[in-house]
Amino acid sequence: MIDRLEKEVDMLERHLQVLRMVIENEPIGIVKMSNETGYPHHKVRYSLRVLEEENLIEPSSQGAITTERTAEFIDELDDKIDETVDTLEGMKLEDAAELES
């Protein structure tokens, strides 16, 4: 059950790392991102596709670039992560052993 969540978090981390590279180095191509992150080309390509579908980046002749939506997404990101962490914290079963007694 948790395995799926861990995989999703890993994928989100990769997508955000790719987005960060686009923000810091735009325009940037797949080969450079792959070389700098160590991710295989197909994983970088997938992350770029996801980011493009979310309108956070767009292709250019020299590589990926940010869009008008990118800044707004970045502004909201920390709050959304904090909300998710709070939700996950509330799901902990630390006290379950005490409840069984």
Side-chain angles (χ1 to χ4, degrees):
M1 190 166 45
I2 290 293
D3 293 345
R4 221 175 328 158
L5 177 61
E6 289 174 332
K7 287 178 186 174
E8 287 292 326
V9 170
D10 288 344
M11 194 173 2
L12 177 61
E13 182 179 28
R14 184 180 76 231
H15 296 338
L16 292 177
Q17 187 174 2
V18 168
L19 179 60
R20 179 178 284 121
M21 290 190 75
V22 174
I23 291 168
E24 293 173 354
N25 302 291
E26 66 181 310
I28 185 169
I30 292 171
V31 174
K32 184 173 182 180
M33 280 190 260
S34 179
N35 291 341
E36 290 189 19
T37 62
Y39 293 128
H41 291 182
H42 71 277
K43 289 194 174 197
V44 171
R45 190 175 292 111
Y46 178 73
S47 290
L48 288 170
R49 186 170 0 124
V50 169
L51 294 168
E52 187 176 352
E53 288 171 0
E54 293 292 325
N55 295 317
L56 297 175
I57 64 163
E58 59 187 28
S60 76
S61 59
Q62 287 133 353
I65 58 173
T66 58
T67 67
E68 294 176 5
R69 166 97 176 90
T70 309
E72 178 186 345
F73 174 81
I74 296 301
D75 289 344
E76 297 170 354
L77 181 64
D78 286 348
D79 287 339
K80 288 185 185 267
I81 289 174
D82 288 342
E83 289 172 14
T84 303
V85 168
D86 289 345
T87 300
L88 291 170
E89 286 285 338
M91 296 168 67
K92 287 184 177 180
L93 298 178
E94 300 173 324
D95 301 327
E98 294 173 17
L99 295 174
E100 291 176 5
S101 302

